[in-house]
Amino acid sequence: MRQIPFRLAILPPRAEAGDASMTPADDNQLERARCRIIGLVKEGHTDKALELYRELAFSIENDGRIFDLATVASVYQIGAWLNVGAACYTSAMDCVVKALEHIASLPKKDVPALAMTAALLYDYALACYAINSRSKAEKSIEKCLSIYRRLIEDGHTEYFENIVIASSVITDIFRSRIRTLYVLDLLQKAVDSHKGEIGGVLADCIDALSDSIVTEAATLFAIGRYRTAVRYLTKALRLNRRVAGGFDGRCLTVSIRLAEALMHIPARKETGIRLLAFARKYAEEHNLERQLDEIARIERNEEQIQFNLLSFLKNIYT
């Protein structure tokens, strides 16, 4: 599962790093040490960054000095991010706990502290999921998303990318479809309210989430849960259209799946037939042979269902 990008997860550097020592004597030196580690991560030297983090954390914990709480919390957060990336999940969880202990003494409405808390909870969820502690992972990701949602609602739209990335793992972490649908509803509202195009990492995350939603819908369809499958596919289609800024091939694929599910619900069958006709027209206009074959399969199945129904009725009444 994707981590929140380093640049979005951490407190921005507030000093020049230089060749900072990992045994700081005051807050300024601690910040320079933190910035040195940040610089290494940005340059791609994560192994060296993790090595220096361990030196710095050891110094903080053993030299008896009292440092700025937010800076220390950020150091531990960097450690959590690095340890998750290195698959050192127990160490990552330990870093999260230490960071949150320091954040607890900061003002509760401090925006950087709230954002750091959300990022920490996300890394904690990834670590818990990796060691098969699903309940803790679910609780952590819910709290993480709740904080990001509150920040965005309060006007801090710079965290939109964070909430999209954090939401992209819900189909893996959540075992409850009700909880999944609830979070998808909240994500949809955030995406709909976002101004401007959605591209890059955000588009990749939403596409990945959409793919996992469609996969889950296929499972629901296979066991006859057509209405729930329709809810999943409807959300996937709305997300895809928002990313595409219209209707594209990915939207077509989801629309075909959605039409098939709708056609299995008597009260919504006509809607499904109309959607499938729209999908056929789009596929024909763009010469999409694979999708046309899939549409033809669904149409043949529907014709066979109608034929079997007529044959059944004929046998009853003749």
Side-chain angles (χ1 to χ4, degrees):
M1 287 183 281
R2 186 190 297 268
Q3 283 187 272
I4 292 176
F6 190 69
R7 63 182 174 80
L8 298 175
I10 63 162
L11 289 177
R14 297 170 296 191
E16 293 294 329
D19 190 25
S21 168
M22 295 300 111
T23 55
D26 56 34
D27 288 336
N28 288 332
Q29 290 183 18
L30 176 62
E31 177 58 19
R32 290 185 63 216
R34 187 182 78 95
C35 292
R36 183 181 175 190
I37 296 172
I38 291 172
L40 287 169
V41 176
K42 290 181 176 179
E43 293 169 4
H45 305 304
T46 52
D47 289 343
K48 180 63 176 178
L50 184 55
E51 178 186 330
L52 291 187
Y53 158 74
R54 288 170 177 158
E55 289 182 27
L56 182 57
F58 181 84
S59 177
I60 290 171
E61 293 166 12
N62 290 281
D63 71 3
R65 291 185 174 87
I66 304 299
F67 293 106
D68 176 69
L69 292 172
T71 308
V72 175
S74 180
V75 169
Y76 284 126
Q77 185 201 3
I78 292 170
W81 192 94
L82 289 167
N83 276 295
V84 168
C88 300
Y89 300 116
T90 302
S91 296
M93 294 165 73
D94 183 55
C95 290
V96 170
V97 171
K98 290 176 180 177
L100 291 176
E101 286 174 349
H102 285 77
I103 290 173
S105 299
L106 298 174
K108 294 188 181 298
K109 293 185 179 182
D110 182 72
V111 172
L114 286 170
M116 199 180 346
T117 300
L120 283 161
L121 289 169
Y122 181 76
D123 280 336
Y124 193 77
L126 296 189
C128 289
Y129 180 81
I131 64 172
N132 205 31
S133 183
R134 294 289 292 276
S135 293
K136 288 183 178 180
E138 288 174 334
K139 291 176 182 177
S140 294
I141 201 69
E142 276 192 316
K143 291 178 181 177
C144 161
L145 293 171
S146 176
I147 293 171
Y148 279 139
R149 187 167 62 250
R150 185 171 38 157
L151 287 170
I152 291 170
E153 288 172 352
D154 288 344
H156 302 287
T157 55
E158 64 269 26
Y159 296 108
F160 174 73
E161 192 169 345
N162 299 52
I163 197 171
V164 170
I165 295 170
S167 298
S168 69
V169 302
I170 60 173
T171 51
D172 292 312
I173 290 181
F174 284 160
R175 291 168 291 184
S176 165
R177 293 189 177 109
I178 293 174
R179 294 168 86 178
T180 300
L181 287 167
Y182 173 71
V183 172
L184 287 174
D185 281 337
L186 297 175
L187 174 63
Q188 187 68 63
K189 291 177 182 177
V191 170
D192 288 344
S193 64
H194 180 69
K195 297 178 180 178
E197 295 182 358
I198 296 177
V201 173
L202 288 184
D204 291 342
C205 286
I206 291 177
D207 286 345
L209 176 59
S210 174
D211 289 344
S212 64
I213 294 171
V214 172
T215 299
E216 181 66 17
T219 300
L220 291 163
F221 183 89
I223 61 175
R225 300 281 299 278
Y226 304 121
R227 293 183 184 277
T228 309
V230 164
R231 292 183 67 186
Y232 270 73
L233 290 166
T234 300
K235 295 181 188 308
L237 181 57
R238 286 186 63 185
L239 289 171
N240 286 150
R241 293 194 66 164
R242 180 64 180 84
V243 171
F247 194 92
D248 62 4
R250 184 181 285 272
C251 296
L252 175 64
T253 299
V254 178
S255 295
I256 293 170
R257 299 273 72 78
L258 177 57
E260 186 176 22
L262 286 165
M263 290 166 66
H264 280 72
I265 303 172
R268 306 192 67 182
K269 186 171 184 176
E270 289 302 318
T271 301
I273 292 172
R274 289 194 298 272
L275 180 57
L276 195 65
F278 169 81
R280 171 175 281 285
K281 181 180 178 181
Y282 183 94
E284 288 173 344
E285 289 174 350
H286 293 81
N287 298 314
L288 302 173
E289 295 296 329
R290 183 175 60 83
Q291 286 87 343
L292 285 169
D293 289 343
E294 182 65 12
I295 292 168
R297 178 193 65 79
I298 296 171
E299 290 173 339
R300 287 195 300 272
N301 287 346
E302 177 59 22
E303 289 172 0
Q304 186 62 49
I305 290 170
Q306 293 302 317
F307 176 79
N308 292 341
L309 178 60
L310 290 172
S311 297
F312 174 75
L313 293 173
K314 184 178 179 180
N315 289 334
I316 291 177
Y317 294 108
T318 57

